[in-house]
Amino acid sequence: MNIWFNLAPALDAILRRAAAQIDEFESDFDPRLLPADPRFGDFQANGILPFARRIRTNPRALATKLVEAMEAQQAIDPNLIGVEIAGPGFINFRLLPAFLLGWLQRYRSEDELKAAAGRIYRGRTIVIDFSSPNTVKQLHVGHIRTTIIGESLSRLLEFCGARVIRDNHLGDWGTQFGILIMAVKRSAFDLDEKVDDPLDAIENLYREGNEIFERDERAREEARAELVKLQDGDPENIALWKSICRYTYAALQAIYDLLDVRFDYVYGESFYRDQVDRVYCELQQFHIAEESRGALVVFHRDHPRFNKQPFIVRKSDGASNYSTTDLATVLYRVEQFAADAIHYVVDPRQSDHFEQLFLTSQKWLAARGDTVPELKHIKFGMILGEGGSPIKTRQGEPIKLKDLLNEAVDRAYGVVSTKNPDLPDDEKQQVARTVGIAAVKYADLAHNRTSDYVFSWDKLLSLEGNTAPYLLYAVARIYSIFRNAGLQPGEGEEEATAFETDTEAALAAKLVAFVNTLSQTLQDLRPHILCSYLFELAGLFSTFYNADRVITDDPAVRSRRLLLCASTLRTLETGLHILSIPTLQRM
């Protein structure tokens, strides 16, 4: 194992090998290696205490035997990593200046980091299902989290070696189209007529149709009939449906371009409409589904909540629903993509649906003899307004995402103009666009994804605190150091020697911790862990820069401090790029 890049798992493996040579240790011994308080080292193994308690022996004596066994194996170079026993039996590992220098010299670029990180998930195919709006509605503020979290997780997993397939599973084949086709026919709305905002017109028409649907039983029957006709391939309804989809796809893509979000596939529910009969047939063939009140349903009778709550895969009127197409989607991803895992970035209101979908899929795929992929629902909290209620317009409507992003750019332009009034206007516009969009994205990612958070313009555009403007400014500041020195990042490092000052060593250790941060972020797919690391790194760099002059007359000192500047720049940019945030060389 590469002790340079995969330091934590390498130390864990060394501890386990050493324990295997000692009679007292059993095969289930867990060293419990964790990042340490910097006062005591960089990593600490604290698993000896509970193990010693279990076998009723002295933990410090046991720790001493373990350290002696590691030394006997010569698995750790004492010139690179210091090992000591502390307290009642903790084992602390401290990265020495020679290791820190060697690590920074070994990983000098984003590509080198990515090549090393690529070993973590190499060979795995992961489908990320995110954004997935209904195509009769505009993207609004409620779509921020799924879209931004989904893109950042896709980039994180790609960086760590996975083959990632981004799939935007649009809601383009459900009940809403029965309602909308009914509304189009009743109003004689011309879908080919050019209007300023076609998606807005479609959304208004759907809203009007839904109001009729809710209050009029005949309208409900009419909408259901139109949906069945659509699903049966009626030429008129298919033509109307295609026109509606044309209206919406272009509008959606404009927002995705603004957010720098991309998809490998846009396979909506409609893509699977000719595969639903296979779902019905096989679920019955394997005795997973049954008829109930005219519908085809799945009961999970061994489940405490779903034993009486049916998972409906074909409605009593013969129409499919999103449960049907979701099942067809799982099978397609297994057969066509050979997916090892499928992650759904969807809000928690769909928790019951996904739990039943996963249970049904697992039984179905197992009965077919297919490899069952890991199925994971990646939930997230709500975005709240200043008063703690869901963020909406003054009229009580969800804020359109395009309006929110445009306002972010406008507000960022005001900040840029105030902070740097002499900047040419075209450069102000470019900086404002980058900063404004980045501020919205980072504000979302910086919060624990399962928690609600309050949306605040003042906070997200602030140049202080854990914000995108603060980190972008930190990047620009390091670029200015190299410009003022007449150098490019990466130049002038040739004579670097081991770090000497406390601030140099603290910054270098934080840079090495980038790898462990990636592992922690991957563990539960929480981007805020990476955000917190980048914020702390920028703070440590500021402390270093204020304490230690970079451009000095001593070549060795200048070289190692330039190395620290370049390494910080590389790590900040790498982390921000993983979060799908572009950087700037000037602000």
Side-chain angles (χ1 to χ4, degrees), residues 30 107 364 367 380 420:
D30 181 2
Y107 301 107
W364 181 28
F380 49 83
N420 198 347

Side-chain angles (χ1 to χ4, degrees), residues 54 70 73 141 170 218 243 292 302 334 422 529-530 541:
R54 192 175 90 190
M70 284 193 295
Q73 291 178 354
V141 67
L170 297 176
R218 284 196 302 174
S243 295
S292 177
D302 53 346
V334 168
D422 297 330
I529 294 172
L530 177 56
F541 178 81

Side-chain angles (χ1 to χ4, degrees), residues 67 113 174 220 223 257 271 350 390 461 507 510 560-561:
V67 170
L113 277 173
R220 285 196 288 274
D257 289 343
F271 178 79
Q350 297 293 321
L461 287 170
L507 179 57
K510 192 68 175 180
R560 71 170 181 257
R561 291 180 182 171

Side-chain angles (χ1 to χ4, degrees), residues 235-284:
E236 181 185 10
N237 283 14
I238 289 289
L240 287 171
W241 170 77
K242 287 182 177 178
S243 295
I244 293 165
C245 290
R246 279 199 306 272
Y247 264 36
T248 57
Y249 290 163
L252 292 173
Q253 190 58 53
I255 301 295
Y256 294 138
D257 289 343
L258 195 59
L259 289 169
D260 192 21
V261 169
R262 68 175 179 82
F263 294 97
D264 300 294
Y265 299 95
V266 183
Y267 287 166
E269 293 176 44
S270 64
F271 178 79
Y272 302 95
R273 65 184 185 269
D274 60 351
Q275 301 174 42
V276 295
D277 286 341
R278 183 182 181 190
V279 175
Y280 305 146
C281 179
E282 292 192 8
L283 289 178
Q284 292 176 96

Side-chain angles (χ1 to χ4, degrees), residues 24-46:
E24 288 93 332
F25 285 100
E26 298 170 4
S27 59
D28 64 346
F29 169 66
D30 181 2
R32 286 170 54 177
L33 188 77
L34 298 168
D37 184 319
R39 293 175 298 171
F40 308 125
D42 296 285
F43 293 95
Q44 182 180 86
N46 58 23

Side-chain angles (χ1 to χ4, degrees), residues 347-526:
D347 74 57
R349 290 174 295 180
Q350 297 293 321
S351 292
D352 277 4
H353 167 73
F354 281 112
E355 193 169 350
Q356 288 181 293
L357 172 68
F358 296 168
L359 288 168
T360 305
S361 298
Q362 287 159 355
K363 291 177 181 178
W364 181 28
L365 294 172
R368 286 172 46 86
D370 294 318
T371 300
V372 181
E374 175 192 11
L375 300 169
K376 182 177 289 188
H377 180 194
I378 299 173
K379 307 172 190 177
F380 49 83
M382 294 178 63
I383 304 175
L384 305 176
E386 297 280 8
S389 57
I391 184 170
K392 293 184 178 180
T393 65
R394 291 180 180 177
Q395 292 73 35
E397 296 290 329
I399 296 174
K400 295 174 184 176
L401 187 48
K402 66 178 180 181
D403 293 340
L404 183 82
L405 296 176
N406 288 335
E407 183 173 355
V409 173
D410 290 343
R411 285 174 178 262
Y413 183 83
V415 173
V416 173
S417 298
T418 300
K419 297 290 183 182
N420 198 347
D422 297 330
L423 205 64
D425 190 66
D426 59 342
E427 199 166 339
K428 284 182 190 175
Q429 296 283 359
Q430 179 200 353
V431 171
R433 182 184 175 91
T434 299
V435 172
I437 302 300
V440 172
K441 294 164 78 171
Y442 189 86
D444 193 274
L445 296 170
H447 292 85
N448 189 331
R449 65 170 169 80
T450 55
S451 301
D452 298 341
Y453 76 91
V454 175
F455 188 92
S456 167
W457 285 116
D458 291 340
K459 288 181 181 178
L460 67 88
L461 287 170
S462 175
L463 283 164
E464 298 178 356
N466 190 11
T467 66
Y470 172 78
L471 291 175
L472 292 175
Y473 179 75
V475 169
R477 182 186 187 189
I478 299 174
Y479 272 113
S480 72
I481 293 170
F482 284 99
R483 278 198 303 273
N484 293 336
L487 298 169
Q488 292 294 320
E491 294 180 345
E493 304 169 0
E494 296 78 14
E495 299 181 59
T497 55
F499 305 112
E500 295 179 2
T501 70
D502 289 344
T503 48
E504 288 175 344
L507 179 57
K510 192 68 175 180
L511 289 163
V512 173
F514 176 69
V515 179
N516 192 59
T517 300
L518 288 181
S519 297
Q520 289 179 306
T521 307
L522 284 168
Q523 191 169 12
D524 202 22
L525 300 176
R526 294 181 186 269

